[in-house]
Amino acid sequence: MPREGGPGVLEAHRRDLPSPEPGQVTVRVEAAGVAFSEVQMLKGRYFGQPKFPFVPGYDLVSEVEEVGEGVDDGLLGARVAALTETGSWADRVVLDAKDVTPVPAGLDPADAVSAVTNGVTAWQMIHRAARVRPGQTVLVHGASGGVGTLLVQLARLAGAEVIGTASARKHEYVRALGATPVDYRDDVPARVREVSPEGVDAVFDHVGGPGLVDSYRMLRRGGTLVTYGSASTLSGTGHWIKPYLPIFARVLRWNATPDGRRATFYYVRRWPKLFREDLATVLSLLAGRKIEAHASTRMPLGKAAEALEFLASGRASGKVVLVPESDARQSS
Ligand SMILES: NC(=O)c1ccc[n+]([C@@H]2O[C@H](COP(=O)([O-])OP(=O)(O)OC[C@H]3O[C@@H](n4cnc5c(N)ncnc54)[C@H](OP(=O)(O)O)[C@@H]3O)[C@@H](O)[C@H]2O)c1
């Protein structure tokens, strides 16, 4: 990603990788996630993004090819997952061994990568931020997306009823996941009241902007708003922090005037010590078929620009994943 622009500005570069240093491993990437975060990064609108140029790629699943001094040889050949935030759209990557998590045998790499950023984000928001319990009702915004499909499934698994917003063309998809669909272009609070007249116990909001106030107001007493993005401000200008300041201010204000409801901002690095444990939990749920990955679009790494374009166009349902050229040929 050399500079701000559209997907067409992406460039492929070839460079020699250094050998792994002590405590590091070199991995061959088998699947790398494409996320709305990269759509935002390309516009210079993502929370905490690095300066251009950089190699994008929020997460990966890979095979360990080489280990540095002090790293257990038993890792050689193992399939591992990692959160990179940037850098996973590559053939090979050097990682700190302490940051990799083993992937259970038999899991497809593209399926597994869907559960890295998105799975941990969804799991931690449900179980650590909102503490969803059986019998509750929750509202998932963007229920057809990468994070949203996992939020719906994990909330259902926790015993909750789920209402999911999505564009009308994806309502059947959202219903099949187990949620009651609502069009986000419609009057969402009114539609939610029809399903759950007393409000909901949790709202997961990646949209931000003025609609965040509605998200808070839809909570019943004891409810939690988890805000975790600002997708609605993609076309804004200025520093990436700008759209987040009103979100933080609102969260502080709501929590400073207690009314039985609370709000919290979630970021995937919020509980760093719990990341690997929670990733292992989500991967085992996938391996045990308690949840499904919905890695519905697989494209070769060389087509990263097209993959990003496809995600940004709103045509994707579920997760878009980059795979090595040879794997893409086999699956096409
Ligand atoms: N805080 C964190 O740590 C963290 C971690 C991961 C992701 N995120 C954020 O989570 C968001 C989703 O990421 P993703 O990769 O899952 O994206 P994605 O796969 O592109 O999904 C985005 C979803 O948003 C929906 N959407 C678009 N406009 C909407 C609106 N006005 N109201 C409600 N939903 C709307 C889309 O629905 P349709 O397709 O039906 O239009 C789609 O389902 C991004 O903003 C990302 O930055 C944050």
Side-chain angles (χ1 to χ4, degrees):
M1 229 178 240
R3 60 182 178 280
E4 204 176 305
V9 308
L10 259 66
E11 293 170 2
H13 288 257
R14 190 164 286 278
R15 67 182 170 106
D16 291 332
L17 263 194
S19 295
E21 305 233 335
Q24 292 188 319
V25 293
T26 301
V27 299
R28 184 180 65 80
V29 179
E30 297 178 288
V34 180
F36 194 75
S37 312
E38 280 104 23
V39 178
Q40 293 171 299
M41 285 185 195
L42 194 52
K43 300 267 181 217
R45 311 299 300 153
Y46 185 69
F47 184 78
Q49 76 176 82
K51 289 204 169 99
F52 294 107
F54 59 90
V55 179
Y58 222 102
D59 43 21
L60 58 79
V61 163
S62 59
E63 184 192 325
V64 177
E65 276 193 339
E66 203 181 337
V67 297
E69 205 184 303
V71 179
D72 181 2
D73 278 0
L75 261 187
L76 281 170
R79 178 168 286 159
V80 295
L83 179 88
T84 49
E85 283 186 293
T86 56
S88 74
W89 293 4
D91 293 309
R92 285 175 174 74
V93 179
V94 177
L95 300 168
D96 286 346
K98 66 174 175 39
D99 292 336
V100 306
T101 301
V103 173
L107 255 188
D108 170 68
D111 284 347
V113 87
S114 310
V116 182
T117 312
N118 293 352
V120 173
T121 296
W123 174 267
Q124 293 192 332
M125 290 198 295
I126 286 174
H127 291 285
R128 300 197 186 279
R131 301 200 187 105
V132 173
R133 293 188 304 282
Q136 293 191 326
T137 301
V138 306
L139 173 65
V140 171
H141 279 298
S144 59
V147 179
T149 48
L150 285 158
L151 273 170
V152 172
Q153 295 180 78
L154 289 170
R156 296 285 296 146
L157 202 61
E161 291 297 320
V162 184
I163 304 166
T165 70
S167 52
R169 62 183 164 166
K170 296 186 185 166
H171 280 196
E172 275 321 304
Y173 181 71
V174 168
R175 208 185 304 278
L177 288 171
T180 303
V182 164
D183 190 340
Y184 55 68
R185 294 188 184 91
D186 212 341
D187 180 346
V188 175
R191 297 290 83 77
V192 168
R193 263 195 312 276
E194 284 166 14
V195 182
S196 188
E198 285 168 15
V200 295
D201 297 285
V203 178
F204 301 96
D205 187 314
H206 68 298
V207 188
L212 196 63
V213 175
D214 284 337
S215 287
Y216 188 78
R217 288 187 183 146
M218 283 185 274
L219 292 173
R220 65 164 63 128
R221 232 186 132 65
T224 305
L225 165 64
V226 187
T227 155
Y228 70 106
S230 184
S232 62
T233 54
L234 186 63
S235 57
T237 52
H239 194 272
W240 58 260
I241 194 81
K242 245 175 60 184
Y244 292 93
L245 297 176
I247 296 179
F248 298 149
R250 282 209 168 101
V251 167
L252 286 173
R253 213 174 320 133
W254 281 322
N255 291 338
T257 46
D259 62 358
R261 304 174 281 190
R262 67 186 186 99
T264 183
F265 183 79
Y266 174 83
Y267 178 54
V268 69
R269 295 276 189 203
R270 178 160 163 189
W271 289 292
K273 291 199 178 124
L274 297 169
F275 184 88
R276 290 177 65 201
E277 177 186 329
D278 290 344
L279 176 55
T281 301
V282 180
L283 288 173
S284 74
L285 290 173
L286 258 188
R289 297 178 185 276
K290 302 277 187 212
I291 55 173
E292 277 181 43
H294 291 267
S296 12
T297 311
R298 298 164 193 225
M299 294 172 83
L301 178 61
K303 291 206 182 298
E306 285 92 329
L308 200 54
E309 176 97 63
F310 181 64
L311 184 81
S313 74
R315 281 175 290 146
S317 293
K319 185 73 184 168
V320 179
V321 178
L322 294 174
V323 294
E325 309 284 332
S326 51
D327 295 12
R329 272 200 301 276
Q330 276 166 24
S331 65
S332 62

